[in-house]
Every structure is written in C-alpha cells, then in structure tokens.
Amino acid sequence: MNYNFYSFKSLLFTIVFLLSFGAKAQMISSSNGSGSIILLRSDGKLFGWGENSYSVVANTGLNIIISPVEVSSATWKTVSVGTIHTLAIKEDGTLWAWGRNNNGQLGDNSTTDRSTPVQIGTDTDWKMVSASASGHSAAIKNNGSLYMWGWGSGYALGFGGDSNVLVPTRLGTDTWKDVSCGQFFTLAIKSNGTLWGWGFNNSNGRVNGTNVYTIEFPTQIGSFNDWAMVSAGALSHSAGIRTNGELYTWGNNSNGQLGTGAGTGLSPVTKVGTDQNWKTVSVGYWYTIALKTDGTIWAWGQSANGKLGLGTPLTDMPTPQKVGTGTDWKMVLAGADHSVALKNDGTVWTTGNDSRGQMGNGTSSMANISTFTQVGGVLPLTLIDFTASLKPNFVALAWRTAQESNTADFDVERRTDHSDWQKIATVNAAGFSKEVRKYTYNDYDISRSTYYYRLKMNDLDGSFAYSKMASSHFMEEQEVLAIYPNPATDKITVKGNISSYTIHNLEGKKVQEGEPGAGNQIRLEALASGLYLISLEVPGGVTRIKLQKN
C-alpha cells in the first residue's frame, strides 16, 4: 500500500499574493460578452487573464487563465478584447489582431484563427479599436476615418448588407471620434458630436431606442451634437454620456439596467437622473456600471453573480447605486457577469463571477465575489510559489518567479502577535527575466512562537507591493498525515485529522471539495484520470499532496 506522509512539526501557512504593477496599469479592456480581461501598463506591456478560448487573451494553451500573464513582449498603445477575438494598436501605430477568425474579424484577409498577434495591413496611423461580443470589428484612424470588417450578420458593419468583410474597409467619408461594437450592432460618434447606430436592433431598441428590427446603414440617434462617449451592450441595451456630464441609456429595461427605475420592454434614449458629473459608462449583460468625475463608481441593473460590486444580498437595482466609499477610481468596465476597475494608483480590482478565472486571483470556481477585490497574481513579477519549512534552528523561506520586469529586490518582513512588521532581510532580484528564478532566505532569529511573513516586492521605478500576510506557528505535538492508496482509482482514505478537503487540477481549477465521509474516505469517481493536487485542512493550516487518479 502506497502512503504519502507529511509531518506537521513544521511551519504551516497559506499564501495569496496581491497585484503589483510596477509600471502602473493605465487602461483595461474587458469583454462584455465573456470573461476575458486585458490590461495595458504604462510601459506599453499587455497582461491578461480569464476566458481564453481561441487564445483570445494569450497563447498559453489553456482555455482559462486564472492569474495575469503577459500577452506579448511588444509595446502597445491601446487594446480591445472581444468575446473570441482581440484587436490592439502598437506604439508605432500599426494594427494587430489575434483569436478566432471564422468570420474574418481579425482582418487579415483570411478565416484562419491566430493564437498570437498578427499585423493587419501596413498602415501606421491607427488610433482606436473595438472588438465586438459577436464577431465584427471597428477601428478609427488618426484622421477620423472609420473602418469596419468581420461578421456582417445583422448589418453590423453598416455597409447595407450582411456579407462578411475580411479586411478593414472604410465606412463612408465622414470622420469619427468614438466607436463601440455591440453584439451584431455598432454605435459611433462623429467628429461633430452626433451619435449614430446601425445593425441588429432586436426589437428592444438597443441601437437607437426604437422598435425597428434592423438598421442597415448608419442612422443618427436623436439630435444632440455633444456626445462624448458611447457603450454598445452585448445583449439588451446601450448607454452614452454627453460633454455636459449627463448620462443617457436606451433599450431593454427588464432588470433595471437603464437606471431609470423599474420597467420592462423597449425604452427610448432617456436621461438617467439629473446628475451632470458622469465620466465613463460601460454596458454588460443586463446591467450598467459607470464612473463619476469625483472618482466614485455607480452600478445598477441585474445583480446576479455579484457583478455590481454592492455586496449581498444580490438584489437587482433599477437606479444607480454607489459602489463602496472609494473616490480614487480611474476606470471601470462591465463584462458578461463580472466587472473590472482601475484605481489611480494602478491597481486593478474585480467583482462578480469567477467561473472562467475573471477575478484573476489564481483560482476559477463557481463562487462569486460581490465586492471589488484586488486582483491576485503579480505584475510585472509573476510569483510561482512562496514556501517555508521549519529546520532544527531556523525557518527556511523559498520562492520562485516565472518572469520579472523592472524588479529591484525583495524585502522579507516578519512580525509576531506582539510586534509590528519589521524588515529582516533584502534579497536582490534578477531584474529582467523570463526564466524560472529561485530565491531563498533563512531566518535564524526564531523562538517557539507564532510568526507572520510577507514579501515587499520592489521595482526599479520605486513602486512596490506586498504579498498578503502568511501566518505560521510551531505545533507542540507531531501528527502524521497520509492518504492511501496513491495512485488511486475510485477512492482514497485519509490517515489523520482533517476538517475538509479541496482538489484542484494542474491548471489550478477546483474540481472537487467537501468533507471526508465514513472511514475518513474521499470518493474520486467523478475525477478523470490524471494528476491532481489535494489540499487538506488540518488544525493550524493546510497541507497539499499530489494525487494520481488512475
């Protein structure tokens, strides 16, 4: 019989890491039709996480990315991630795309999917891009000319037909300043400040607030000529802000997503309240989230999955509700069932559903987060692990990084229940690396007590971030834990006292959890054959053991 033994006369703790951008995050892009998120740092680097079908985020070989990864080593100016494809512009003004290309949405004159960025044409004067929740694309050049391509279904391209277009093609001769691609429709603002829309209106008025089923060509929406921005939704509604700070919504209001009070069915373009300090707005699945000029976030509509960030209970909100008390928000975007926000200090926060890794905290589960929580993982430093073990007369600390950019050093900090945090050592970092790097430090100044360790991760530009606190303590008695058999077929038995267990696959996805059954047994019939990591909750900490299921 095969046993795996682990002694608890050692240091036990759990570590979760916070986001450190070093070079600050300056913008974010979130698909309002799925769970993909990409951010742009101030140094021009792209990092992303979440839903990764067709490598819409990055070429990792994984369908779900549970913590931020670098998209490419290039330097970028802006990015827009859709449901299955992504568009981006490099610092040199060239246009690039990657992901699904079944309807020509990448614009490279083919229908071949691309797992890495491919240049679209040779022009170097692109200004902004918008990737839709369906499969079409839009981009504006520096001279204001608007180009459309991809899936033409629903007249989403504005050319008067529903044929696919495989390369960026200019729409008319007018000039434009903003464009937003929804699901089979498009909204855009001309240089003169007028708002226009076209595509599949779906009888709910999401294009222009009327019940016209489809709109084949660009059609003006209302008569205002001072629109500042617009957001086209993935399903039911749209929103826009005028230069005077007034917010307007239109379309379906079944969940209060228009913010004008309870109601259902079609609604025309309508002002939301009387406030005139709205800065940005973003439309998701059946809800809306927006930012005011005072740095506060407001949300309304469907609250399922915690995507409004208002906490529990999850009650639909028919009018704008203030999210938290923060006044230092810079940007906020809606996803399908998640929201993502950027603070002035460059940290990124998420709320909502995590089934596709949208929270970026190193896990993916059906659990929801109902308030904005700082994204897990480390940027530009990717920390693989941070461990500690008790030796006869010291604590051995060790950590590994998968990549580093602008990293200066690590301050190792420690405290006890009776003292504050103190720096006990500084360990130099590699600085720039894409290889796995190993670091160690031995803490000899210990006694029989409870300790708390953390890393202060310093960048060359002077910025820094802390890992979350890691607790540790000595256990007076030695307890031996074992699981058997290992490899296993249909069940394992745990030898030792545990309260609960969690099983993750090697991609970090939680596949099973619970409490041991009769005889301290854990059933494994639901697991496919393969290698797993089982986490066992024990008094004072968590022990993790590799498990082979045959």
Side-chain angles (χ1 to χ4, degrees):
M1 192 174 289
N2 295 326
Y3 287 80
N4 290 86
F5 294 100
Y6 290 80
S7 170
F8 288 120
K9 194 170 183 181
S10 63
L11 212 57
L12 299 177
F13 58 87
T14 303
I15 301 172
V16 180
F17 296 98
L18 295 179
L19 190 64
S20 165
F21 288 105
K24 303 295 185 181
Q26 68 177 24
M27 72 158 287
I28 44 180
S29 177
S30 175
S31 171
N32 64 4
S34 69
S36 307
I37 301 170
I38 296 180
L39 66 87
L40 173 67
R41 286 193 344 214
S42 58
D43 63 356
K45 302 299 182 182
L46 292 179
F47 288 80
W49 63 95
E51 170 65 48
N52 193 42
S53 298
Y54 304 106
S55 299
V56 64
V57 173
N59 184 26
T60 63
L62 303 174
N63 286 330
I64 297 175
I65 301 175
I66 59 177
S67 57
V69 299
E70 188 171 7
V71 174
S72 81
S73 59
T75 304
W76 303 88
K77 182 168 64 175
T78 191
V79 62
S80 176
V81 57
T83 299
I84 53 177
H85 76 292
T86 297
L87 305 173
I89 301 173
K90 284 187 177 181
E91 275 292 339
D92 61 7
T94 55
L95 176 63
W96 297 71
W98 60 97
R100 185 75 160 136
N101 197 29
N102 57 322
N103 291 295
Q105 56 264 50
L106 299 189
D108 66 347
N109 201 27
S110 80
T111 54
T112 303
D113 298 344
R114 308 290 184 180
S115 60
T116 57
V118 58
Q119 186 172 352
I120 308 304
T122 59
D123 293 346
T124 59
D125 57 346
W126 295 101
K127 182 180 181 180
M128 71 169 296
V129 287
S130 179
S132 77
S134 48
H136 72 286
S137 303
I140 296 177
K141 286 190 171 184
N142 292 332
N143 63 6
S145 55
L146 173 61
Y147 289 75
M148 305 293 302
W149 66 97
W151 200 2
S153 179
Y155 305 99
L157 303 183
F159 295 121
D162 58 2
S163 298
N164 296 347
V165 176
L166 302 186
V167 295
T169 302
R170 185 169 183 179
L171 179 61
T173 58
D174 293 325
T175 58
W176 307 77
K177 67 177 184 178
D178 190 28
V179 64
S180 179
C181 291
Q183 190 175 49
F184 303 113
F185 74 103
T186 305
L187 300 176
I189 301 174
K190 286 187 178 182
S191 300
N192 63 9
T194 55
L195 177 62
W196 298 70
W198 56 92
F200 184 41
N201 206 23
N202 198 26
S203 297
N204 62 16
R206 62 185 186 176
V207 176
N208 65 354
T210 72
N211 60 3
V212 176
Y213 198 68
T214 55
I215 302 172
E216 299 182 22
F217 299 96
T219 302
Q220 187 170 351
I221 302 171
S223 59
F224 295 131
N225 60 2
D226 59 351
W227 290 99
M229 72 157 296
V230 67
S231 176
L235 290 178
S236 66
H237 68 297
S238 300
I241 297 176
R242 292 170 60 193
T243 56
N244 63 2
E246 291 180 348
L247 170 65
Y248 289 77
T249 57
W250 57 96
N252 185 282
N253 197 34
S254 58
N255 295 90
Q257 58 263 43
L258 299 187
T260 55
T264 59
L266 180 149
S267 178
V269 178
T270 304
K271 185 167 68 172
V272 179
T274 60
D275 291 344
Q276 293 184 314
N277 61 341
W278 296 101
K279 183 179 180 181
T280 64
V281 64
S282 183
V283 172
Y285 271 12
W286 313 108
Y287 81 107
T288 307
I289 196 161
L291 179 69
K292 286 189 174 182
T293 55
D294 61 4
T296 58
I297 291 177
W298 297 71
W300 57 96
Q302 187 187 70
S303 64
N305 307 113
K307 55 193 174 186
L308 299 186
L310 297 172
T312 55
L314 301 179
T315 304
D316 290 358
M317 296 295 176
T319 57
Q321 304 294 312
K322 187 176 180 180
V323 180
T325 60
T327 60
D328 58 344
W329 297 102
K330 178 181 179 181
M331 188 177 187
V332 65
L333 291 175
D337 288 307
H338 72 277
S339 298
V340 56
L342 172 65
K343 283 192 173 184
N344 292 329
D345 64 3
T347 56
V348 173
W349 301 65
T350 52
T351 186
N353 183 268
D354 192 34
S355 62
R356 309 300 290 174
Q358 300 99 306
M359 298 300 98
N361 58 12
T363 65
S364 64
S365 69
M366 294 307 295
N368 300 319
I369 296 177
S370 60
T371 59
F372 277 102
T373 304
Q374 192 173 347
V375 172
V378 180
L379 294 178
L381 172 69
T382 299
L383 196 60
I384 300 174
D385 52 31
F386 180 25
T387 62
S389 58
L390 180 63
K391 304 302 180 181
N393 61 341
F394 64 94
V395 174
L397 302 175
W399 61 98
R400 295 182 300 160
T401 64
Q403 62 181 24
E404 297 180 29
S405 176
N406 295 310
T407 312
D409 50 42
F410 306 88
D411 288 338
V412 181
E413 298 186 356
R414 184 191 70 186
R415 75 170 178 86
T416 69
D417 289 328
H418 307 289
S419 66
D420 203 352
W421 288 105
Q422 294 182 342
K423 183 175 75 173
I424 60 174
T426 297
V427 178
N428 291 329
F432 297 86
S433 174
K434 289 194 174 183
E435 300 176 349
V436 174
R437 297 280 181 170
K438 299 179 180 180
Y439 299 90
T440 61
Y441 176 75
N442 296 331
D443 182 14
Y444 289 93
D445 186 17
I446 61 172
S447 60
R448 187 165 293 275
S449 178
T450 297
Y451 291 98
Y452 304 90
Y453 291 92
R454 71 181 183 185
L455 292 175
K456 180 184 177 186
M457 298 161 284
N458 303 304
D459 286 353
L460 294 172
D461 64 2
S463 60
F464 64 89
Y466 290 103
S467 66
K468 278 188 177 179
M469 182 178 66
S471 62
S472 62
H473 67 274
F474 290 81
M475 302 188 71
E476 295 297 333
E477 298 184 6
Q478 183 169 347
E479 180 183 359
V480 176
L481 185 70
I483 62 171
Y484 63 91
N486 193 8
T489 53
D490 59 342
K491 64 184 176 181
I492 58 173
T493 299
V494 180
K495 182 179 182 295
N497 179 29
I498 70 168
S499 58
S500 62
Y501 72 91
T502 305
I503 301 176
H504 291 81
N505 61 24
L506 294 188
E507 296 180 359
K509 182 178 181 180
K510 184 192 301 182
V511 295
Q512 187 172 315
E513 63 181 344
E515 299 177 358
N520 236 19
Q521 291 186 347
I522 298 174
R523 309 297 303 186
L524 304 176
E525 289 95 335
L527 298 183
S529 298
L531 189 63
Y532 298 88
L533 191 67
I534 181 169
S535 301
L536 304 173
E537 295 279 350
V538 298
V542 177
T543 284
R544 295 176 176 83
I545 302 174
K546 287 184 178 180
L547 168 65
Q548 176 68 49
K549 166 68 187 305
N550 291 334

